Amino acid sequence: MRTSYLAWDDAVDLFQRRGLPEGTYKNLYEEEYILVPGHASVTGELPLDEHERTPWRGDTPEMATGYVVDGDLTVDGNITDVDDGAAALIVLGDLRAKNIYLAGDTKLIVLGHVTAETFVGDMTEKLVMIHGDLRTTVAIFWNEFCPDLVAGTLYGRTLAPAYLDLPTAPIGDLVDPTPDAPLSSLLVPELLISGALRPDDFPEVGIRGSALRRHLLTGLPLTRTP
């Protein structure tokens, strides 16, 4: 499946043909993207801020503003963005990944559903718009992160500081399928705060930040196996 460079006018034409609302894509940078045609599968991690480590570097060796996947995208590892850049991923279908970790100035737009074990947002300056459901075991929002849109249901345990009023956020519905289950039954113990706090802990959501990043970036599990 050959990738190619996509000029902004051609990207807009594709968005319109696939039914992506103008109110969504108008928030993107009007620059060049990399087109991934049809449904795509990625083995291992997909680092949005390191093009040379993506499977699309062969046909399109020079990095562009981001990637447009014209169909479903399945990543059997983690999707990560840890840089200060503005990497963009636009999926014109469903998105599935093991975990999703957004700590840069990410632009993530998905026309369908997003499914992952964990979805972690750690940056205020971003654009995250999901036109279907966001289905997770645990979603973790800190540093004032909140999706700009989840048109469907945010499904799973959601950890967010009290000042983030999720019921008033642009989220269609909030569903926790196991509201009485302790967090320790969902996440591995290394991620949970116990004992004295550390400088990079997030007591508002009960998570050790450095442990979570280490697990995500080295491929260690975050969630408990059934």
Side-chain angles (χ1 to χ4, degrees):
M1 184 179 296
R2 295 184 62 85
T3 57
S4 59
Y5 291 103
L6 185 68
W8 175 249
D9 287 346
D10 294 327
V12 169
D13 178 68
L14 177 60
F15 297 155
Q16 291 176 341
R17 286 188 282 115
R18 297 295 182 259
L20 187 68
E22 181 180 1
T24 296
Y25 66 75
K26 75 176 183 180
N27 296 294
L28 294 170
Y29 292 124
E30 298 182 9
E31 298 173 351
E32 185 178 66
Y33 291 79
I34 290 173
L35 174 65
V36 183
H39 303 317
S41 298
V42 174
T43 300
E45 181 186 3
L46 179 61
L48 299 180
D49 48 359
E50 295 184 67
H51 179 61
E52 65 278 6
R53 292 177 55 204
T54 72
W56 306 316
R57 64 190 180 279
D59 298 325
T60 45
E62 297 298 323
M63 187 173 185
T65 303
Y67 308 96
V68 177
V69 180
D70 189 17
D72 298 338
L73 173 60
T74 301
V75 181
D76 70 5
N78 300 331
I79 295 176
T80 60
D81 181 18
V82 297
D83 197 3
D84 291 333
L89 175 63
I90 301 97
V91 179
L92 300 176
D94 294 331
L95 171 61
R96 302 182 69 93
K98 188 172 183 62
N99 300 286
I100 299 175
Y101 176 53
L102 308 178
D105 181 13
T106 311
K107 309 292 186 281
L108 175 64
I109 291 175
V110 181
L111 188 55
H113 303 301
V114 175
T115 304
E117 292 181 11
T118 66
F119 184 102
V120 183
D122 185 15
M123 174 62 99
T124 304
E125 299 298 326
K126 48 73 198 144
L127 173 69
V128 175
M129 303 185 78
I130 299 167
H131 286 269
D133 297 338
L134 173 53
R135 304 166 179 168
T136 71
T137 299
V138 178
I140 303 171
F141 304 153
W142 59 48
N143 283 340
E144 300 183 7
F145 178 96
C146 184
D148 299 274
L149 174 70
V150 177
T153 298
L154 174 49
Y155 183 90
R157 180 70 52 85
T158 301
L159 306 180
Y163 59 74
L164 185 59
D165 189 4
L166 285 177
T168 66
I171 296 171
D173 196 12
L174 290 163
V175 174
D176 184 348
T178 56
D180 297 325
L183 192 57
S184 58
S185 70
L186 303 177
L187 295 175
V188 297
E190 296 89 343
L191 307 186
L192 305 179
I193 294 175
S194 61
L197 293 176
R198 302 171 187 171
D200 60 353
D201 285 343
F202 291 87
E204 302 92 341
V205 295
I207 297 295
R208 292 205 182 278
S210 60
L212 183 140
R213 295 185 188 96
R214 183 172 62 253
H215 278 236
L216 277 161
L217 298 178
T218 59
L220 293 172
L222 276 70
T223 58
R224 294 272 199 178
T225 55

